[in-house]
Amino acid sequence: MIKKVAVLTGGGDAPGLNAVIRAIVKTAVREYGIEVIGFRDGFKGVMEHKLLPLTEDAVSGILPRGGTILGTTNRDNPFHYQVAPGEFADRSDECIEIIRKNADALIVIGGDGSLSIAHDLSQKGLPVVGCPKTIDNDLAVGQAKTFGFDTAYAFATEALDRLHATAESHHRVIVLEVMGRYAGHIALHAGIAGGADVILIPEIPFRYEQIVAKIQDRLNKNKRFSLVVAAEGAKPAGGNMVVQKVVAESTDPIRLGGIGNVVAQELEQRTGIEARVTVLGHLQRGGSPTPYDRILATRYGVAAIDLVMQGKFGYVVSLEGEKTVPIALSEIAKGIRKVDAAGELVKAARKIGISFGD
């Protein structure tokens, strides 16, 4: 019988994490009469025995808060755990033992890295349920949005609205760099919603000549400014993504960043028009979640604890249409979900005159 459930948040933070935790606790206590504990700081908290009792009082008032009350980390994979500088070991058996001593099942709230760990732990016999989150909206789990995405691209859209005014006033090209890793969902959605002239995404390699042609076309129509949205993973045709640094001990070691500056400098040199760049960075992760993300996160939290109580382990909750459904954690191994370069949304953007630089 399930009497106590453990929860942890792993990977990058996302608006809506607290809403999930709140939903799990409230459903567990009110619907099933069981206890919930949290491991602080992801799997690091498991290995270091950092526990937090999660009562209804503990989650009171956290629904609109960004971040996670449990803390998180995108390092400390128990299958590749750092035991000394530059030295790693498989401590997954120890991790499972610690979890079993403190709870009857584990809910992992995370992105592809954390959920891949959850899948591996499940393969070793640990009762695990996954709850998907990422602002990048790139999980290969169903076709639903992940919570955090709506908040992230809404903020990027607001940034474009603000940049529109200053770009028009100074007759500049302004490049907005947004997150997204290897998928361009944030850039695509924000670019369309914010009236960008050019959208650069990893799925469609760009050519500077095409971007310059778009800017020149606008100049010919007496539009003396242009807005470019660049996903951090965007790259020129035949070129590479811009890597900021590599963190060896992380579940996601490659840190992208810098494409905005590269594009802005190149466009200024080629067009003679003053160019500026704005990098939103972690501003997209913070702040209060939108109503959509609060509702989606709540639904996922309820669905996750329901799966635990039904004994359906080795699954991650997802949304198909208007229903939450369980999908095998093994689906995570199929890779990330990228923007469909030939899809309806890209086609719609092209039809209204947005260039993708190709």
Side-chain angles (χ1 to χ4, degrees), residues 216-232:
Q216 186 60 53
D217 180 63
R218 286 178 55 77
L219 288 172
N220 294 340
K221 296 175 180 177
N222 202 32
K223 296 180 179 180
R224 300 168 63 192
F225 72 97
S226 295
L227 292 177
V228 179
V229 180
E232 62 183 351

Side-chain angles (χ1 to χ4, degrees), residues 271-352:
T271 65
I273 301 172
E274 190 174 16
R276 292 287 186 271
V277 61
T278 296
V279 181
L280 289 187
H282 288 78
L283 288 170
Q284 295 157 96
R285 293 191 178 279
S288 182
T290 60
Y292 179 92
D293 277 339
R294 297 183 196 189
I295 294 170
L296 180 59
T298 298
R299 294 184 68 181
Y300 278 175
V302 171
I305 197 70
D306 283 345
L307 285 182
V308 169
M309 299 310 294
Q310 293 164 13
K312 293 183 178 179
F313 301 113
Y315 290 93
V316 56
V317 298
S318 185
L319 193 68
E320 286 189 2
E322 291 301 315
K323 294 183 178 180
T324 53
V325 296
I327 294 179
L329 273 169
S330 58
E331 291 292 304
I332 296 294
K334 294 184 177 180
I336 65 173
R337 184 175 73 235
K338 295 190 174 186
V339 169
D340 181 358
E344 183 178 329
L345 197 55
V346 172
K347 288 180 179 178
R350 292 187 189 276
K351 287 179 180 179
I352 61 173

Side-chain angles (χ1 to χ4, degrees), residues 41 140 173 200 202 221:
D41 304 329
V173 172
L200 307 178
K221 296 175 180 177

Side-chain angles (χ1 to χ4, degrees), residues 95-166:
C95 176
I96 291 173
E97 183 180 355
I98 294 169
I99 294 169
R100 288 188 180 278
K101 283 183 178 179
N102 289 282
D104 302 308
L106 175 68
I107 297 176
V108 175
I109 311 169
D112 56 348
S114 298
L115 292 181
S116 293
I117 295 172
H119 173 254
D120 292 340
L121 291 174
S122 176
Q123 292 294 99
K124 298 190 76 169
L126 184 71
V128 181
V129 167
C131 190
K133 71 93 196 116
T134 171
I135 67 168
D136 305 326
N137 198 40
D138 63 350
L139 288 187
V141 179
Q143 294 299 315
K145 289 181 181 178
T146 53
F147 66 85
F149 172 63
D150 189 77
T151 305
Y153 90 76
F155 181 77
T157 300
E158 181 183 350
L160 278 172
D161 290 344
R162 292 171 178 265
L163 291 172
H164 185 284
T166 185

Side-chain angles (χ1 to χ4, degrees), residues 207-263:
R207 297 183 183 278
Y208 285 108
E209 295 82 1
Q210 296 301 317
I211 305 174
V212 171
K214 175 63 178 179
I215 294 171
Q216 186 60 53
D217 180 63
R218 286 178 55 77
L219 288 172
N220 294 340
K221 296 175 180 177
N222 202 32
K223 296 180 179 180
R224 300 168 63 192
F225 72 97
S226 295
L227 292 177
V228 179
V229 180
E232 62 183 351
K235 61 182 179 179
N240 298 311
M241 296 179 181
V242 180
V243 177
Q244 188 180 68
K245 64 179 178 179
V246 177
V247 183
E249 65 271 23
S250 173
T251 56
D252 181 25
I254 303 298
R255 299 287 190 270
L256 300 174
I259 185 62
N261 284 296
V262 173
V263 169

